[in-house]
Structures are given as structure tokens and as C-alpha cells.
Amino acid sequence: MGLKGIVVECFVGFWDYETAKIMVVKNRPLGIIYRSVQFLIVTYFTWYVFIIQKAYQEIETGPESSIYTKMNGVALSGDTVQDMVEYVRPSEGGDVISAILRKEVTHNQRQGVCAEHFSVPGANCTEDSDCTPQEIGTEGNGKRTGLCVPYYNQTFKTCQIKSWCPIEEFAAVREPALKEAINFTVFIKNTVHFPKFRVLRGNTKGKKNLHSCTYNAVTNIYCPVFTLGYIAKQAEENFTELCETGGVIGVFINWKCNLDLDPSECYPQYAFRRLDLRKDLISSGYNYRFGKYYSRNGSEYRSLVKAFGMRIDVIVHGEAGKFSVIPTIINMVAAMTSVGICSFLCDWILLTFIDKNEIYSDMKFDGVTSDPSQDLATENTTVSQDLTHTDLSDNVQL
Amino acid sequence: MGLKGIVVECFVGFWDYETAKIMVVKNRPLGIIYRSVQFLIVTYFTWYVFIIQKAYQEIETGPESSIYTKMNGVALSGDTVQDMVEYVRPSEGGDVISAILRKEVTHNQRQGVCAEHFSVPGANCTEDSDCTPQEIGTEGNGKRTGLCVPYYNQTFKTCQIKSWCPIEEFAAVREPALKEAINFTVFIKNTVHFPKFRVLRGNTKGKKNLHSCTYNAVTNIYCPVFTLGYIAKQAEENFTELCETGGVIGVFINWKCNLDLDPSECYPQYAFRRLDLRKDLISSGYNYRFGKYYSRNGSEYRSLVKAFGMRIDVIVHGEAGKFSVIPTIINMVAAMTSVGICSFLCDWILLTFIDKNEIYSDMKFDGVTSDPSQDLATENTTVSQDLTHTDLSDNVQL
Amino acid sequence: MGLKGIVVECFVGFWDYETAKIMVVKNRPLGIIYRSVQFLIVTYFTWYVFIIQKAYQEIETGPESSIYTKMNGVALSGDTVQDMVEYVRPSEGGDVISAILRKEVTHNQRQGVCAEHFSVPGANCTEDSDCTPQEIGTEGNGKRTGLCVPYYNQTFKTCQIKSWCPIEEFAAVREPALKEAINFTVFIKNTVHFPKFRVLRGNTKGKKNLHSCTYNAVTNIYCPVFTLGYIAKQAEENFTELCETGGVIGVFINWKCNLDLDPSECYPQYAFRRLDLRKDLISSGYNYRFGKYYSRNGSEYRSLVKAFGMRIDVIVHGEAGKFSVIPTIINMVAAMTSVGICSFLCDWILLTFIDKNEIYSDMKFDGVTSDPSQDLATENTTVSQDLTHTDLSDNVQL
């Protein structure tokens, strides 16, 4: 057989079909275990992986999302009317929007000198030497001038500071809370786009005036207009308490779209949860300060506003799935491979518990020693596995 | 053979190599099916999974991204000059920036009483009793005082309200659109960082003055300066229309980096798409309101501005891939396992269609009954599978 | 055997256990290779995949995150006191906050006509005909009127423009940098929520006053109060330089939670890195412009502020893992399947290098021709693989 023969042989051999030889064990208990484990695995994959987890779908998470928010409503705070221009900050209507529910305003502040607040460490003094000039503590309101002055017509004295005067702690006026804000509405428009599937969805529908409807989870899911009271209630918060301390509430818009179904099945679901930890009493709440500036007689004045508000963070989650060949194949391969696992288990049961006379292990295992000529010499050490069919027939032939 | 013998035997057996016994079927059609299916699977993995999907790479998505935006340009709106300080909000240059293209301004509003707009439900009246005091509808502009007053020098009357007066619906002045804004430029600086690969990339390059170049997808990709007109055109929007209604346009910066190649292959690609649904006519567009406050003779005035603008949301997508041993191995294992799938198919074809005389199933399956001593008794029921090699040679020896 | 017999036989056969027939090769070197490769694979999966990568856990990334920031501190800029209301923008305390460190202010700008800056291309002129009216270049400050006027009491002339006058390039006053801002503090409150595991974590703890403590990575990890100097130092930036050019610094909060351990193991780690590329000298830094508006004698004035600041982008990464049955099973299946890979290798070694006399391939492969009656006729072509055990014993029996 020359080179040509070898090539021909290889070519012919290439088209042979090779398949593993299988031993069939006619043992009913083992068969029942075998089929039961197979059934469990197939059921798990069919039911959990394919039906519940929808492993046959290609998934896209993190869609492109655009949010546009707008608040509406008018209320009286004491004697002044507050409309959206007054209480909404920032005004641009992005994914974070806050409504000011209560203010502490320090009117007519201007750059100058005045007495430091008595609660600042080291601010109390009896004479000028108690106040080192040029020193600003991280908790002070300004730079000390070195003088010790009466505290705003009081009998005690504190260090004089260069600052915006009068200081907030002394002069802030607490305005009443905007309790009627419970009826303010916030319109949250959201569009999501899944680039992989080229699917665009919005949380509004139709051409009706969206600003005059109200969201209802059952009857009106395409009207994303919520009252602040509804949001607070859904987040299990007390609105009156929120007016006092402020708070950050997350509005979660959840898109879970099965694109194999009708498009109407792909609608947003809303959830509400307070985001600043509430148990932690000291640091909970939400407030910030800003100034309103005026120019009078050439000098600059400001109204310092400490605003306690309800901040709404709109957070969008999205997930879309659509049938795809590749994950289907991959998961089916994984399923079939997993079915093979029960062979491990059953082989172990078979060889350990059932195979008393080693008849099965003889059938299953064919022993070959490394050098055929040493077959007889090593027969003793390989006796347990060499009781194979080969040897049996050899023995017969003796 | 004592305990020592068993231990020795186990130790010797541990170093045996075990491999499955294979049956070679010399059937040309089956061989062709077998090799074809194998070829398809191998091709799929080599071409699609490894070359197209780059399964040999470790992937990092969601890089850390920083955006800094800046608008530039001057235009005339009627008789007043608008520079960036006037039309850009918010001014801080984050990932959401808007240019005001048109304004409706209500000048000199102040807290007071005036007539409600006639379009508000229940606002029309003929006498005071038509106006219930202390009631603010969600659509009203303020709190009713209970009086019925003439509507701003008109002959008809509406309820008087406590509000910022005059009301916007009556007194708003529509300013001309900033059509020249089509030439305004927005500089969008973006740096991304892939922490896993420690790779930092920016969308600018070199030390030339970036504010005076213009983006070009072919010749000037490292100059992220876009005119608003270019952005609108790329998003397939009419700029004049945008000036009227406002709109939100997404600027998508897409980093798709193959870090196995030269760094110059890792550059940003830009895409533009309108984000507020346009078909939905009622709620499309983008506008918001803000106030400019003045103090005159001790009382506070404001100019209420309803701004229609073009909001630009910069959205960054990033993905970097680099060769890694682990995903390579995992995908090669998956590929090899998948090749095993064709055995399922070919076994089924073999045993169902080709194996007429059960010669193959006899070869493939070795039957063993659960109790060897019952071999002869059960021979009749297992006849179809017991025509194994074992029995054949036994028969010969009879 | 009728139809009933076939059904019975199928039912009986269904409960048979099928397992692959294995050939045991008693070759010590091959066994050592086989076991070594197995050992490597098992070690890899046990140590790297399961222990290091925690493949037994279900992972959730991208938690819901809420950030609330607040700056504190007072400093002198020249003769004026700057408190947080002055230097913090935007004031609402979201995930992007900036402190103005240096200002260039153009006071008392108002709409009017004045001379263009001489650096603008084409702005220099000697007579009116040099200035085409109605033309705004993208780099100009306003619309040219067509006149050529002296440049702010200088001897040379530039084109007159309609603009906010005087122009910034001429009239801007550079205020001293707020070097004391190095001691300003920023309080960064962060709560994360992993919805899949229903776990909520915050970066603050206890009820102590958080605004008066300072972060320390070892002793005080639950006090998220950082000085600007600390942030700059951690980001390896020079604070004095930042005061000049401004800059964007990322504060990365990293939650890596193993929920199988004690909750105290799930704490935030902070990292700081400058986000605007610094090497790129021209475009690095961070500045923006805004206006402060005044009304005086019925006309509107503004102070144009070019602010150089330190912008802090808070970026949260989160990952939580918890033991779960499904990934455990999937990875164990992958591990077991991978162990099968070493059979490929060892089979190849066995058949290519060790199997000199083809004794092993005869044992492993059982050849069957497509038509049993042609067995003898095809024997010559299948000789290499037909030296199987079957034929050997047949030969012996001749």
C-alpha cells in the first residue's frame, strides 16, 4: 500500500460516519432514575429557561431614553401666589426636576460687616482680642474683622465678620409651606428607542390634550400626568412631612417589551420610591440655597432662599426581547449538554451500587495495555477491568 | 486480594486513559450529511461567532464618560442682540444643553389682582356670585377673590384672581424666532474611559483651536463643532419648524473600539435623531418657562419667559473589545460541543432510515440485562438489541 | 411479533439505561497527560471561575442610584465674600455640581452699539466702507452697523457693532482666584438600590452631624464630606492650576457588594480622576458664561460672568452578587463539558504518536460497511480500520 493508497484511504475514511458505541443496561430502577433526571433537566430548560426566561430571545437593555418634564399648578404661600416659574427648579424640564415646597428667605442681604451667629464655635466674645482677624472657620459665615460687636441689638456680643449681611441664621424668615402643592401636576414625557431592534416607544398616545388628564394605572396608562400627592402616596411618604424636610423621590419608568407580541403589550410601568434614606434622620431631606439678585442705588442686594423641596428623579429602565436564532441554538446546545450530565450520575450509581458482579463495568470498559506483548504479564493487575468481552472470548478459545 | 491490593489497583487505574469506543459506519450518503452538518456548524462558529461577533474578545461596555458642551454665535432677534449668555440654558455646559430659539415674554408681571383668562373653565361671569372665592382649579392662573371684573378693558367680564398680573395668556408678547441660530455652533467635548482596559479616549485631537473648525465626518472627525443647522438636518428635521415648536434632538456619540487594532481605529461616530415623538402633534416640541426678576421701588417684578428651544441631549455609547483567553476558550468549547449536535441528527437518520437490517443498532448498542443469570430467560424480549457482537461470536462458537 | 409486541418492546426499551462504551488504555504516559490536563481544567474552573470570578453568584449591575450634593465654605475673593450661594452652580445639588473658582466679569453691559474687538477677522477698518453692514461672523460679537468708529478711546478704529456693550474682550475685569476654596467641602450623599436583590445601601451611617466630619478612607468611610483640595490631590491635579483654567473631576463611587457576606462588607469606595483631557492644552479646562440681570431706569443691564470652575461629576458604579442555583449549574455544566476537551487532545496523541501498531484504533473504532453483504468485497479498502476485535476473533476461529 503506497502513498496513493494512504491518500485514497484517508479520503474514503473522511466520509465515514462515526458514532459512539452505547451499552444498553436493562435495569428498570436505574432506567427510572435515568429518565427522571432527564425529565427534570428537560422540564427545567423548557419551562424555566425557555418559557420564563425567554432564552430564545435576543435581549437589548439600556435603551436610549429622552425625558421631558413639566410641572403645573398654582398655589398660595401665605399671601403670595406661587406658579410654576416660582417653584420649579431647574426650569429646563430634564430628568431631575424639583418643586420648592417651603422657603426660608433672608431678604436684602448685601456685602458688609455684621455679627457672627453665636452658635459658631469661638464666635462669642467679650472684647476685640477674643476675635482673631483673617480667619474663616469651615463653619463660619465670613471672615472675622477682629472686632467684638453686639449681636443685632442684643446684650451679648459676638465677633464681627465680613459677609453677606445680615446673616441667614439671624434674619431668615420662614415662609409657610405650600400645602396646596399636593395638587400640582407633573407631566413626565418619555420616549425610548431600542437601536438594535429599531423600535421607538413613547409613554403618550393619541392627540388628546395630555396636560388635562391624570394618570391611572388601569384606565389611563398613556397619560403620564401625576399629582405630587399621588407620587408621595405611591412612595409611601407623608406629603405634609415632605413639605417640612424636603425629599428625593424616584419615579421609575420600566419598559419590559416582548417584541414577539403585539406592540400594545409594550407599555411603560411606573414605580415610585423615596431615594434619600429616611431612617437616617439627620441627613435625610432635600434642600438647597440660591440667591435672587437686585441692584439698588448701584449696589448689589440679594435675597437668599433656602428651599426645601420635592425633587423628582426620573429613572428609566428598559428591556426588549425578540426571537433570534443564535441564543436559541446556544441555549438548546446548553440544554442538550446538560442532559448529558445525568449520565455522570447514573454511571456512578450503576458502577457503585448496582454493579455487584462487575458485569457492567466489564461491558463498559475495554482494557488495553500499553504494549500488547505484555498482555499476559499485566493481566493480574488489570484483572478487574480486563474481564472484558475480548478476554472472555479468548478464554473460550483456549 | 486484600485492602492493599485494592488501593494499588485504584492508584494504577487512576492513571489509565479512558476514551469512548466509536463505531465507524461506512455509508457514503450518511457520511456526506455528517460532514456537511459539521461543516455548517464549524463555518458558523468560525465566521459568525469568531470573526463577526469577535467572540475571542473580552468586551467592556458602559465606559465612564464626561461631556462638556459650549454654544457659540450671535444673532438678532428683532432689534435685540442675542448672544450665548441669553439663549443657552442651563449655562453650565453639561450633557443637556438648550438654545432658546423663540420667546413669548410677559413683561412686568407682579403679584396683584387681575382678570382670569376667559378660556379657563368657569372663569366667565356676569356678577360676583359666579366666582367662588378661595378656589384654584388646576388649570387656573391664580386664586379667585370672589369678584367679577371687566377683562382688561374689554366689555365682557371674568372672575378676578390673585396672581402674577397681568396674566400670560393676555399679555405675552411673541418675539420673532432666532432664525439666524441655524449658524450657531455647539462644541461637544467628550472623553471616555474604559476602566477594565485602562484606555482613555477623547473626541478632540491636536492643539489647534477647536472652536473655529467645523465637524466633517470624513476630513475632520476630531473637530466636534456642529452648527445647529447641521444637527437639525442630520436628524431630518426642518430648522424653521424647530424654531416654532422647539424640539429635543439626541446627539449620539458611539465609540466602538477594537483595542487589538491600532488606536487610530478607535474613533467616535456621531448620529443625530429627534427624541420627542414628532408624529404626536399635541405633545411634541420643547418649551419651558422661567422668570427674570427685578426689584423696583421695593417691590418685585418679573419678566415671564416662555422659551421654545432646541434641546440637545448628548448620549454616549461605548464598547471596547480586546483579545482575552477566557472568552476564547469558552466559545471554543461551545463550538466543539455544538459539533456534537450533528451526532444527534445523524444517529436518528442512521437508525430510522438507513438501518434496515438493524445491523447498525446491533453494533451500536450492547444490551445487558439487570441480572446476568436471567440472560437466557429474557433473551426473547431483548432480541432486537441483543443481536450484538457478543452474541454473534458466542453463536459462532456453538 | 405484531404491533402490540413493538409497542411493548418500545415501552420496555424506554426504561433502559444507555451509557457510552469506554475503552481503557493502560498507558502510563498518556494517563499522566490525561489527568494533568483534567487537573488544569478543573483547577481553572474551581479557582478562577468559581472562587475569583464568583461564577456561582447571580450578578446585578447598574443599580438605581440617587445623588445629592451640597457645598459648604466661605472665602474672600479680593474684597467680596463668596459663600455657597455665589459660587455653586447649579444650586439644586444633583450629580453634577460646580464651584466657581475664578471670574472674569464684564459689568454693566446693555444692548447698544460699540466698537468690535480688533482681533475679530475683518474688524479693523479705516473708513465706513470697510464695514459691510448686517453681517455677523461666527466669531464676531454682534451685527455690524456699517460705521467705522474709534476703538474705546484708542487711536485705531474698528467696525461698530450692535451688541451687548461694552464687549467682553475689552471690558472684562479679572477677579482674583478663590484660592481659599481649597478648604471648601462638598458633601456627596449617595444611595443605591439593587432591585433584583431588594437591597438598599447608603454612603452615610449613624445619626451624627455629617456636615462637620471629613472623609477618611480608613477611619471614616461613612462620612462622604471631601474638601476640594482633597479631591484635586487624589486626582493628581494642582489646585492652583485648577483655579486658573478650571477643570472637570470625576468622583467615582464604586459599590462592589458580595451579598453572601455580612452587610458591613458592602461599602462604597471612592476614586477621583480628572475627566477633561489635560495634555490637550488648548481645549482643556472648564469655563462657562452666565449673566446677572438688572433693571435700571427701565432698561435692562447685565453683568456678564465668565466663570472658571471645578466641576465635579459624581459617577456611581455598582455591582452586587448573591448565590444563585442557575448560574452555578450553568457554570458547572460548562466546567464538565470543558473537561471533555482533554479527550480531543489525548485521542489525537494516542492515535498519532502512541498507536504504532494500530491496536488502539482497532479497539476504539468498530467498522461497519453500508451493506453487510459486501463485507468481504470492501474488506481491502477498509483494512486499516477493519482490524477490529470482531475480525480478530473471527480470524482465530477459521
Side-chain angles (χ1 to χ4, degrees):
Chain A
M1 195 166 70
L3 183 65
K4 194 182 162 195
I6 290 168
V7 170
V8 167
E9 189 193 312
C10 280
F11 178 78
V12 168
F14 180 78
W15 295 109
D16 292 344
Y17 171 60
E18 299 177 355
T19 182
K21 293 191 74 167
I22 301 294
M23 175 176 70
V24 179
V25 179
K26 298 201 169 299
N27 181 301
R28 187 64 60 90
L30 189 64
I32 288 169
I33 292 171
Y34 179 59
R35 291 297 178 191
S36 304
V37 175
Q38 266 191 346
F39 177 78
L40 279 179
I41 292 172
V42 168
T43 306
Y44 163 73
F45 269 94
T46 314
W47 183 77
Y48 183 79
V49 176
F50 277 85
I51 295 180
I52 302 292
Q53 296 280 327
K54 298 198 180 58
Y56 59 88
Q57 288 189 332
E58 192 175 16
I59 298 293
E60 180 170 25
T61 56
E64 298 159 10
S65 163
S66 168
I67 290 158
Y68 171 40
T69 51
K70 204 167 195 173
M71 283 203 185
N72 225 339
V74 182
L76 276 184
S77 162
D79 202 38
T80 59
V81 172
Q82 302 279 320
D83 62 6
M84 75 192 91
V85 177
E86 304 294 308
Y87 61 76
V88 175
R89 281 178 75 96
S91 52
E92 289 87 1
D95 58 344
V96 174
I97 193 169
S98 72
I100 300 171
L101 300 180
R102 191 166 68 78
K103 288 179 185 171
E104 294 176 4
V105 186
T106 311
H107 295 282
N108 292 319
Q109 276 192 328
R110 56 175 295 187
Q111 298 265 354
V113 289
C114 49
E116 175 66 286
H117 193 250
F118 53 82
S119 73
V120 173
N124 293 292
C125 60
T126 47
E127 49 191 27
D128 292 355
S129 62
D130 294 340
C131 300
T132 321
Q134 302 293 3
E135 177 199 304
I136 299 186
T138 50
E139 291 178 52
N141 289 301
K143 184 182 136 184
R144 298 192 183 167
T145 57
L147 300 180
C148 187
V149 295
Y151 182 78
Y152 303 97
N153 300 328
Q154 301 284 323
T155 51
F156 63 94
K157 287 176 157 190
T158 59
C159 292
Q160 192 189 50
I161 52 171
K162 187 166 171 50
S163 176
W164 286 89
C165 287
I167 58 167
E168 187 188 15
E169 284 98 327
F170 166 72
V173 176
R174 183 188 167 112
E175 294 190 355
L178 211 61
K179 295 228 171 81
E180 288 166 325
I182 200 167
N183 290 321
F184 289 176
T185 57
V186 55
F187 169 57
I188 302 172
K189 190 171 157 191
N190 174 227
T191 54
V192 289
H193 180 241
F194 293 94
K196 200 190 278 177
F197 301 127
R198 297 169 180 272
V199 167
L200 183 71
R201 287 280 182 281
N203 69 345
T204 57
K205 223 176 190 178
K207 296 181 190 289
K208 60 179 184 283
N209 190 340
L210 285 163
H211 296 287
S212 60
C213 65
T214 320
Y215 177 78
N216 183 301
V218 178
T219 59
N220 219 352
I221 59 168
Y222 284 104
C223 167
V225 177
F226 308 90
T227 65
L228 297 193
Y230 178 83
I231 291 175
K233 198 180 154 200
Q234 291 289 314
E236 293 173 4
E237 293 295 326
N238 184 321
F239 191 81
T240 312
E241 213 172 276
L242 279 178
C243 284
E244 281 306 301
T245 62
V248 182
I249 293 188
V251 174
F252 299 88
I253 307 183
N254 199 11
W255 296 86
K256 195 154 193 156
C257 294
N258 183 343
L259 300 179
D260 296 330
L261 301 180
D262 191 74
S264 68
E265 298 287 314
C266 175
Y267 55 87
Q269 283 177 306
Y270 299 88
F272 305 85
R273 201 167 46 74
R274 184 149 180 191
L275 293 177
D276 56 318
L277 285 171
R278 207 189 148 197
K279 302 283 162 55
D280 191 6
L281 288 171
I282 287 291
S283 66
S284 72
Y286 173 68
N287 65 71
Y288 60 90
R289 287 181 178 84
F290 64 91
K292 280 180 167 179
Y293 294 84
Y294 305 97
S295 178
R296 209 184 296 156
N297 306 326
S299 56
E300 189 181 38
Y301 287 79
R302 75 174 189 192
S303 287
L304 169 64
V305 181
K306 182 174 184 181
F308 293 79
M310 180 166 158
R311 191 175 92 181
I312 293 172
D313 289 16
V314 184
I315 299 172
V316 177
H317 286 284
E319 191 181 293
K322 202 173 188 175
F323 172 76
S324 174
V325 176
I326 294 154
T328 307
I329 290 177
I330 286 172
N331 279 288
M332 281 175 65
V333 169
M336 288 174 177
T337 311
S338 300
V339 168
I341 294 254
C342 53
S343 291
F344 280 89
L345 178 69
C346 292
D347 275 0
W348 177 72
I349 293 173
L350 176 73
L351 298 173
T352 312
F353 298 109
I354 298 176
D355 192 22
K356 295 273 156 57
N357 299 320
E358 294 193 340
I359 189 91
Y360 297 124
S361 71
D362 292 349
M363 284 289 289
K364 186 171 167 69
F365 298 105
D366 245 357
V368 182
T369 51
S370 78
D371 183 353
S373 66
Q374 294 177 346
D375 252 6
L376 291 172
T378 57
E379 196 130 2
N380 289 334
T381 57
T382 62
V383 68
S384 72
Q385 300 197 320
D386 272 350
L387 286 173
T388 58
H389 178 241
T390 317
D391 306 309
L392 282 173
S393 50
D394 283 354
N395 293 344
V396 169
Q397 286 148 33
L398 288 177
Chain B
M1 194 169 68
L3 184 65
K4 193 180 164 198
I6 291 170
V7 170
V8 167
E9 188 192 313
C10 280
F11 179 78
V12 169
F14 180 79
W15 298 108
D16 293 343
Y17 171 58
E18 300 177 356
T19 182
K21 293 191 73 168
I22 301 294
M23 175 174 71
V24 179
V25 180
K26 298 201 169 298
N27 181 301
R28 187 64 60 90
L30 188 66
I32 289 170
I33 292 170
Y34 179 61
R35 290 298 178 192
S36 304
V37 175
Q38 267 191 346
F39 177 77
L40 279 178
I41 292 172
V42 169
T43 306
Y44 163 74
F45 270 95
T46 314
W47 183 76
Y48 183 80
V49 176
F50 277 84
I51 295 180
I52 303 292
Q53 295 281 329
K54 300 198 178 59
Y56 58 88
Q57 287 189 332
E58 192 175 15
I59 299 294
E60 180 170 26
T61 56
E64 298 160 10
S65 163
S66 169
I67 291 157
Y68 171 41
T69 53
K70 203 166 194 174
M71 284 204 184
N72 225 340
V74 181
L76 275 184
S77 162
D79 202 39
T80 58
V81 172
Q82 301 280 321
D83 61 6
M84 77 192 89
V85 178
E86 305 293 308
Y87 62 76
V88 174
R89 282 176 73 96
S91 53
E92 288 87 2
D95 58 346
V96 174
I97 193 168
S98 71
I100 300 171
L101 300 179
R102 190 166 68 78
K103 287 179 187 171
E104 294 176 5
V105 185
T106 310
H107 295 282
N108 292 320
Q109 276 192 329
R110 57 175 295 188
Q111 297 266 354
V113 290
C114 50
E116 175 65 286
H117 194 250
F118 52 84
S119 73
V120 173
N124 292 293
C125 59
T126 47
E127 50 189 27
D128 290 357
S129 62
D130 294 340
C131 300
T132 320
Q134 303 292 2
E135 178 198 304
I136 299 186
T138 50
E139 292 177 51
N141 288 300
K143 182 182 137 187
R144 297 189 184 168
T145 57
L147 298 181
C148 186
V149 295
Y151 183 77
Y152 303 97
N153 299 329
Q154 301 284 322
T155 51
F156 64 92
K157 288 176 156 187
T158 58
C159 292
Q160 194 189 48
I161 51 170
K162 185 166 173 51
S163 176
W164 286 89
C165 288
I167 58 167
E168 187 189 14
E169 285 97 328
F170 167 73
V173 177
R174 185 187 166 113
E175 295 190 355
L178 213 62
K179 295 226 169 86
E180 288 167 324
I182 200 166
N183 291 321
F184 289 177
T185 57
V186 55
F187 170 56
I188 302 172
K189 189 171 159 190
N190 174 226
T191 54
V192 289
H193 180 242
F194 293 94
K196 200 190 278 177
F197 301 127
R198 296 170 180 271
V199 167
L200 183 71
R201 287 282 182 280
N203 68 345
T204 57
K205 222 175 189 179
K207 295 183 191 287
K208 60 177 183 286
N209 190 341
L210 285 163
H211 296 286
S212 61
C213 65
T214 320
Y215 177 78
N216 183 300
V218 179
T219 59
N220 219 353
I221 60 168
Y222 283 104
C223 167
V225 177
F226 308 89
T227 65
L228 296 193
Y230 178 84
I231 291 175
K233 197 180 154 199
Q234 292 289 315
E236 294 174 2
E237 294 295 325
N238 184 321
F239 191 80
T240 313
E241 214 173 276
L242 278 178
C243 284
E244 281 306 301
T245 62
V248 183
I249 293 187
V251 174
F252 299 89
I253 307 183
N254 199 11
W255 296 88
K256 194 153 192 158
C257 293
N258 183 342
L259 301 178
D260 295 330
L261 302 179
D262 191 74
S264 69
E265 298 286 315
C266 175
Y267 56 86
Q269 284 178 306
Y270 299 89
F272 306 85
R273 200 166 46 74
R274 183 148 179 191
L275 292 177
D276 56 319
L277 285 171
R278 206 190 149 197
K279 302 282 162 58
D280 190 6
L281 289 171
I282 288 290
S283 66
S284 72
Y286 173 67
N287 65 72
Y288 60 90
R289 287 180 177 86
F290 63 91
K292 279 180 168 180
Y293 294 85
Y294 304 98
S295 179
R296 208 183 297 154
N297 307 325
S299 56
E300 189 181 37
Y301 286 79
R302 75 174 189 192
S303 286
L304 169 64
V305 182
K306 183 175 184 182
F308 293 80
M310 181 165 158
R311 192 176 91 182
I312 293 172
D313 290 15
V314 184
I315 299 171
V316 178
H317 286 283
E319 191 181 293
K322 202 174 190 176
F323 172 76
S324 174
V325 175
I326 293 154
T328 307
I329 289 177
I330 286 172
N331 279 287
M332 282 175 64
V333 169
M336 287 172 177
T337 311
S338 301
V339 168
I341 293 255
C342 53
S343 291
F344 280 89
L345 179 70
C346 293
D347 274 1
W348 178 72
I349 293 173
L350 175 72
L351 298 173
T352 312
F353 298 109
I354 299 175
D355 193 22
K356 294 275 154 57
N357 298 319
E358 295 194 337
I359 189 89
Y360 297 125
S361 71
D362 291 349
M363 283 290 288
K364 186 171 169 68
F365 297 105
D366 245 357
V368 182
T369 52
S370 79
D371 183 353
S373 67
Q374 294 176 345
D375 251 5
L376 291 171
T378 57
E379 195 129 3
N380 289 333
T381 57
T382 63
V383 69
S384 71
Q385 299 195 325
D386 272 349
L387 287 174
T388 58
H389 179 238
T390 317
D391 307 310
L392 281 172
S393 52
D394 282 353
N395 292 342
V396 168
Q397 286 150 33
L398 290 177
Chain C
M1 195 166 70
L3 183 66
K4 194 181 163 197
I6 292 169
V7 171
V8 167
E9 189 191 312
C10 280
F11 179 79
V12 169
F14 179 80
W15 297 107
D16 292 345
Y17 171 60
E18 300 177 355
T19 182
K21 292 191 76 167
I22 302 294
M23 175 175 71
V24 179
V25 179
K26 299 200 167 298
N27 182 302
R28 187 63 62 89
L30 188 66
I32 288 170
I33 293 171
Y34 178 61
R35 291 296 179 192
S36 305
V37 175
Q38 268 192 346
F39 177 77
L40 279 179
I41 292 172
V42 169
T43 306
Y44 163 73
F45 270 94
T46 313
W47 183 77
Y48 183 79
V49 176
F50 277 85
I51 295 179
I52 303 292
Q53 295 281 330
K54 298 197 180 59
Y56 59 88
Q57 286 189 332
E58 192 176 15
I59 299 292
E60 179 169 25
T61 56
E64 297 159 10
S65 162
S66 167
I67 291 157
Y68 171 41
T69 51
K70 203 165 194 173
M71 284 204 183
N72 226 338
V74 182
L76 275 184
S77 161
D79 202 38
T80 59
V81 172
Q82 302 279 321
D83 61 8
M84 76 191 91
V85 178
E86 305 293 307
Y87 62 75
V88 175
R89 281 177 73 97
S91 52
E92 289 87 2
D95 57 344
V96 174
I97 193 169
S98 72
I100 299 171
L101 300 179
R102 189 167 69 76
K103 287 180 187 171
E104 295 177 4
V105 186
T106 312
H107 295 281
N108 292 320
Q109 275 192 328
R110 55 176 296 188
Q111 297 266 353
V113 290
C114 51
E116 175 66 287
H117 194 249
F118 53 82
S119 73
V120 173
N124 293 293
C125 60
T126 48
E127 49 191 29
D128 290 355
S129 62
D130 294 341
C131 298
T132 321
Q134 303 292 2
E135 179 199 302
I136 300 185
T138 49
E139 291 178 52
N141 289 302
K143 184 182 135 186
R144 295 189 184 169
T145 58
L147 299 179
C148 187
V149 295
Y151 183 77
Y152 304 96
N153 300 328
Q154 301 286 321
T155 51
F156 64 92
K157 287 175 158 190
T158 59
C159 292
Q160 193 190 49
I161 52 170
K162 187 167 171 49
S163 175
W164 285 91
C165 288
I167 58 167
E168 187 188 15
E169 284 98 328
F170 166 72
V173 178
R174 183 186 167 114
E175 295 190 354
L178 212 62
K179 294 227 171 83
E180 289 167 325
I182 200 166
N183 290 321
F184 288 176
T185 57
V186 55
F187 169 57
I188 301 173
K189 189 172 159 192
N190 175 225
T191 54
V192 288
H193 179 242
F194 294 94
K196 201 190 277 177
F197 301 127
R198 295 169 181 272
V199 167
L200 182 71
R201 286 282 182 281
N203 69 343
T204 58
K205 222 175 190 178
K207 296 183 191 287
K208 61 179 182 286
N209 189 342
L210 286 163
H211 297 286
S212 60
C213 65
T214 320
Y215 177 78
N216 183 300
V218 179
T219 59
N220 219 352
I221 59 168
Y222 283 104
C223 167
V225 177
F226 308 90
T227 66
L228 297 192
Y230 178 82
I231 291 175
K233 198 180 155 201
Q234 291 289 315
E236 292 173 5
E237 295 295 327
N238 183 321
F239 191 80
T240 313
E241 214 172 274
L242 278 178
C243 285
E244 280 306 301
T245 62
V248 182
I249 292 188
V251 174
F252 298 88
I253 306 183
N254 200 11
W255 296 87
K256 195 155 191 158
C257 293
N258 184 342
L259 300 179
D260 295 330
L261 301 180
D262 191 74
S264 69
E265 297 288 313
C266 174
Y267 56 86
Q269 283 178 307
Y270 298 89
F272 306 86
R273 200 166 46 74
R274 183 149 179 190
L275 293 178
D276 56 319
L277 285 171
R278 206 189 150 198
K279 301 283 163 56
D280 189 9
L281 288 171
I282 288 289
S283 65
S284 72
Y286 173 68
N287 65 72
Y288 60 91
R289 287 181 178 85
F290 63 92
K292 279 181 169 179
Y293 294 85
Y294 303 99
S295 179
R296 208 182 299 154
N297 307 325
S299 56
E300 189 182 38
Y301 287 79
R302 75 175 190 193
S303 287
L304 169 64
V305 181
K306 183 175 185 182
F308 294 80
M310 180 165 159
R311 191 175 91 181
I312 293 173
D313 290 15
V314 184
I315 298 172
V316 177
H317 286 283
E319 192 181 293
K322 201 174 190 176
F323 172 77
S324 173
V325 175
I326 293 155
T328 308
I329 290 178
I330 286 172
N331 279 288
M332 282 175 66
V333 169
M336 287 174 179
T337 311
S338 300
V339 168
I341 295 254
C342 53
S343 290
F344 280 88
L345 178 70
C346 292
D347 275 0
W348 177 71
I349 294 174
L350 175 72
L351 299 173
T352 312
F353 299 109
I354 298 175
D355 193 22
K356 294 276 155 56
N357 299 319
E358 296 194 336
I359 187 90
Y360 296 124
S361 71
D362 291 348
M363 282 290 289
K364 186 173 169 67
F365 298 105
D366 244 357
V368 181
T369 53
S370 79
D371 183 353
S373 66
Q374 296 177 346
D375 250 9
L376 291 171
T378 58
E379 197 128 5
N380 290 333
T381 58
T382 62
V383 69
S384 71
Q385 299 197 324
D386 272 349
L387 286 172
T388 57
H389 179 240
T390 316
D391 307 308
L392 282 172
S393 50
D394 284 352
N395 292 344
V396 168
Q397 286 150 33
L398 291 176

